[in-house]
């Protein structure tokens, strides 16, 4: 019987779902994708970019089937176990296109639970780092050594006292694990390989070319450092500045927005109504509370699925209690986990129907999107024909390390509401590309004509790509649907993104500006 139970748990070690009830309104639908491509296949695909984009979009948003998805199977990808082949379409472009800049937003890696299940033993996980313990990475030892030299870096005051490495032999609540560090070492190295042929950052990169920011949690700072260490061609502390974002929304000085709070409250009320109406969920919580010998409301407040996720991701059996502690005794079960997860899936569907979350997400992420748009426009202008390069270069790599409550509203604001929920170490990547210069009337003079003079040449156009966990989702965004696609261009014009951020995005909240959307009186 014990062997059978272990087998059942191992089947789902590949992933599970986080459901912090106070933030579970953020959840997006987990959509199964086709098997990952190996790196060799991706590299061989450089010349066939157009077909690859089409195939990639099919994998991200497959055709929905009538059969209800299995709630446990839907959770598989969440843990993001770093022992599998990773897929990455970053860095792939049509021939002769120039990569101008890259903007990355990540979620922190695997962490210890934020909540403890009453009367159960906390999962035993070591949060120190060791290259001899799995999962590991070829860069792990040198990463540990480099983080010990962090005093050479430049840290904003709020971050100076935070440990640069997870360092407790028994993890503290919310602490990044070794798995989380390895996930982002892999992410950083993956993108370093994707962009090295495009000369995004030279080996002698300057401090001006790299921007890094993180929230004030150790798990985001440490995840960010692991990613950056894997990404930079030559990690040099003297050139690294780590900036602090006090809000998980990365809204800087534009965080004040009363309407955003109103939409969030509407969404929370909707979520509560749906949850209390689910009799199967209520019975499950009652049975779990009876097993543990606690009040049902106490169990809900302890958010058991957050801890169960940790057990699943780390191959640990679900917690058990003896019968002599006020309850019936026994173990929490996979069936109970499945009921909670099914309710979350139902909630995601109802959330999209209701619409308040999308409005919240737009107001939540507008400041970040607007800042990104401004940075892109600045780099695009600096790359115009005839411009003199600035001393130290332009800011070509912007990197932000956040949370699920950062990634989820960003996906929704972009119109990607059916994208997979932010797993551990999830990443959203914005790429900006420039097409090669064209000759005026080139289409009408393909052959038999003498070369045109430089004065007849037209500077290349600028385009944007959006990728989520390595998948190209550009033509699923609200600003670049397939119907808007130029037949002779496989990418989305940057002007589409700029217009969306500065104008079109506010139509969803019946306004014409961020200030109006935040402060106008409701009818």
């Amino acid at each position: 019987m014990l062997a059978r139970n272990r087998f059942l748990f191992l089947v789902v070690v590949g992933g599970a779902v986080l459901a912090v009830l106070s933030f579970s309104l953020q959840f997006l639908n987990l959509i199964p994708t086709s098997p990952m491509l190996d790196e060799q296949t991706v590299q061989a695909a450089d010349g066939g970019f157009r077909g690859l984009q089409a195939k990639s979009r099919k994998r991200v948003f497959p055709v929905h089937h009538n059969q209800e998805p299995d709630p446990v199977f839907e959770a598989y990808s969440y843990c993001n176990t770093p022992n599998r082949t990773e897929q990455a379409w970053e860095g792939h472009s049509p021939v002769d296109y120039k990569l101008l800049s890259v903007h990355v937003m990540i979620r922190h890696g695997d962490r210890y639970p934020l909540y403890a299940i009453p009367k159960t033993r906390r999962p035993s996980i070591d949060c120190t780092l060791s290259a001899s313990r799995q999962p590991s990475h070829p860069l792990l030892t040198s990463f540990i050594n480099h983080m010990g030299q962090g005093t050479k870096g430049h840290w904003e005051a709020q971050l100076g006292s935070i440990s640069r490495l997870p360092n407790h032999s028994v993890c503290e609540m919310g602490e990044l694990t070794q798995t989380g560090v390895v996930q982002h070492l892999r992410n950083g190295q993956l993108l370093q390989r994707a962009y090295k042929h495009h000369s995004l950052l030279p080996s002698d990169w300057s401090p001006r070319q790299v921007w890094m920011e993180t929230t004030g949690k150790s798990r985001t700072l440490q995840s960010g450092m692991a990613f950056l260490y894997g990404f930079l061609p030559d990690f040099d502390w003297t050139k690294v500045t780590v900036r602090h974002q006090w809000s998980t929304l990365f809204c800087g000085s534009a965080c004040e927005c009363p309407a955003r709070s109103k939409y969030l409250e509407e969404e929370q009320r909707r979520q509560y109504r749906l949850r209390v109406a689910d009799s199967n969920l209520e019975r499950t919580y009652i049975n779990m509370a009876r097993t543990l010998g606690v009040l049902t409301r106490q169990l809900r407040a302890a958010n058991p699925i957050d801890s169960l996720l940790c057990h699943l991701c780390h191959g640990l059996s679900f917690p058990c209690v003896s019968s002599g502690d006020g309850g019936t005794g026994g173990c929490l079960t996979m069936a109970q986990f499945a009921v909670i997860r099914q309710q979350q899936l139902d909630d995601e569907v109802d959330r999209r129907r209701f619409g308040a979350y999308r409005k919240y997400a737009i107001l939540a992420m507008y400041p970040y999107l607007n800042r990104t748009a401004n940075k892109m426009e600045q780099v695009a202008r600096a790359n115009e024909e005839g411009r003199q390069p600035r001393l130290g270069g332009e800011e070509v790599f912007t990197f932000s390390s956040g949370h699920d409550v950062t990634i989820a509203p960003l996906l929704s604001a972009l119109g990607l509401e059916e994208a997979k929920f932010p797993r551990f170490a999830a990443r959203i990547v914005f790429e900006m590309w420039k097409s090669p210069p064209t000759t005026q009337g080139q289409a009408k003079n393909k052959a038999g004509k003498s070369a045109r003079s430089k004065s007849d040449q037209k500077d290349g156009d600028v385009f944007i790509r959006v990728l989520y966990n390595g998948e190209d989702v550009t033509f699923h965004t609200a600003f670049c649907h397939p119907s808007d696609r130029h037949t002779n261009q496989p990418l989305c014009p940057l002007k589409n993104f700029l217009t969306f951020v500065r104008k079109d995005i506010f139509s969803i909240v019946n306004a014409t500006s961020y200030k109006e959307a935040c402060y106008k009186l409701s009818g």
Side-chain angles (χ1 to χ4, degrees), residues 494-514:
L494 176 64
K495 63 182 180 181
N496 285 34
F497 179 64
L498 299 180
T499 301
F500 172 72
V501 172
R502 294 167 180 172
K503 179 182 177 182
D504 297 345
I505 196 172
F506 302 115
S507 64
I508 301 170
V509 288
N510 297 318
T512 58
S513 69
Y514 181 61

Side-chain angles (χ1 to χ4, degrees), residues 110 140 291 378 388 491:
D110 177 84
L140 184 57
T291 297
Q378 181 176 336
Q388 291 297 319
L491 299 180

Side-chain angles (χ1 to χ4, degrees), residues 151-228:
T151 52
K152 299 178 182 178
H154 307 281
W155 303 83
E156 289 198 347
Q158 300 90 333
L159 304 175
S161 61
I162 300 176
S163 173
R164 290 176 288 277
L165 294 172
N167 57 8
H168 295 93
S169 57
V170 178
C171 294
E172 294 191 340
M173 290 296 190
E175 187 171 11
L176 193 71
T177 67
Q178 176 159 315
T179 299
V181 170
V182 170
Q183 286 168 334
H184 278 304
L185 285 174
R186 284 170 57 96
N187 267 349
Q189 193 174 61
L190 196 70
L191 265 62
Q192 193 273 333
R193 290 171 178 169
Y195 298 132
K196 66 181 178 181
H197 299 303
H198 297 285
S199 302
L200 178 70
L201 285 173
S203 58
D204 60 344
W205 57 275
S206 73
R208 183 190 293 276
Q209 292 176 294
V210 175
W211 171 283
M212 178 187 171
E213 58 186 353
T214 177
T215 64
K217 297 294 184 181
S218 63
R219 58 185 177 273
T220 52
L221 184 146
Q222 293 162 6
S223 292
M225 297 316 304
F227 184 104
L228 207 61

Side-chain angles (χ1 to χ4, degrees), residues 44 56 106 117 169 212 215-216 230 234 275 282 392 415 417 419 475-476 482 522:
S56 177
I106 65 166
I117 299 176
S169 57
M212 178 187 171
T215 64
D234 180 24
R275 193 166 57 239
E282 180 64 18
E417 292 197 283
F475 290 98
H476 284 283
S522 58

Side-chain angles (χ1 to χ4, degrees), residues 214-349:
T214 177
T215 64
K217 297 294 184 181
S218 63
R219 58 185 177 273
T220 52
L221 184 146
Q222 293 162 6
S223 292
M225 297 316 304
F227 184 104
L228 207 61
Y229 187 77
F231 177 77
L232 291 176
D234 180 24
F235 189 91
D236 184 346
W237 271 118
T238 64
K239 296 191 289 187
V240 173
T241 298
V242 186
R243 299 166 179 84
H244 176 247
Q245 273 284 352
W246 70 270
S247 170
T248 59
L249 300 178
F250 287 73
C251 46
S253 60
C255 288
E256 182 66 26
C257 184
R260 184 186 69 226
S261 300
K262 179 177 77 73
Y263 290 130
L264 182 60
E265 290 169 1
E266 285 182 21
E267 169 60 17
Q268 289 172 328
R269 287 194 293 270
R270 177 210 61 80
Q271 185 186 38
Y272 175 77
R273 290 193 298 269
L274 188 70
R275 193 166 57 239
V276 297
D278 192 326
S279 57
N280 194 23
L281 180 69
E282 180 64 18
R283 285 193 300 270
T284 298
Y285 274 125
I286 290 173
N287 290 336
M288 294 171 74
R290 186 179 296 122
T291 297
L292 300 173
V294 299
L295 297 175
T296 305
R297 64 174 180 271
Q298 183 183 357
L299 178 66
R300 284 199 196 92
N303 196 12
I305 204 166
D306 186 40
S307 182
L308 296 180
L309 163 69
C310 182
H311 285 78
L312 288 167
C313 290
H314 290 267
L316 305 174
S317 298
F318 281 168
C320 303
V321 295
S322 63
S323 57
D325 198 18
T328 61
C331 302
L332 302 184
T333 69
M334 187 64 65
Q336 292 166 339
F337 169 84
V339 169
I340 301 174
R341 174 58 192 147
Q342 183 60 58
Q343 198 279 330
Q344 292 169 348
L345 293 175
D346 296 341
D347 180 80
E348 290 158 15
V349 175

